Amino acid sequence: AEANRYGIVGHADPIAAYTWYRIAQLGGMKNAGELVKDLAAKVLTAEQRAEAETRAQHWIAEHPPTQNK
């Protein structure tokens, strides 16, 4: 997500960065929520945020979390 956010590899892609931060947040990464809020407030339009949310939800649906047993 950092590479997408800052364009470390190629061009910056804040939608992709938000998508991966959101997936991390939903997966339990503690500071990901702050990163999601920061991108939403400072970088993304409402339409871009909606696109990123859709991407995150699709990814999660296709890759459900596994339970450690």
Side-chain angles (χ1 to χ4, degrees), residues 7-65:
I8 295 169
V9 178
H11 67 283
D13 186 346
I15 295 172
Y18 182 102
T19 301
W20 287 112
Y21 287 141
R22 185 72 173 120
I23 291 166
Q25 179 186 26
L26 294 170
M29 184 178 163
K30 292 181 182 180
N31 71 330
E34 295 172 23
L35 299 168
V36 165
K37 288 179 188 177
D38 184 56
L39 273 173
K42 296 179 181 176
V43 179
L44 297 176
T45 66
E47 291 152 347
Q48 290 172 318
R49 181 175 179 222
E51 172 64 25
E53 284 288 339
T54 298
R55 289 182 189 184
Q57 294 302 322
H58 283 260
W59 193 91
I60 290 167
E62 293 175 7
H63 304 88

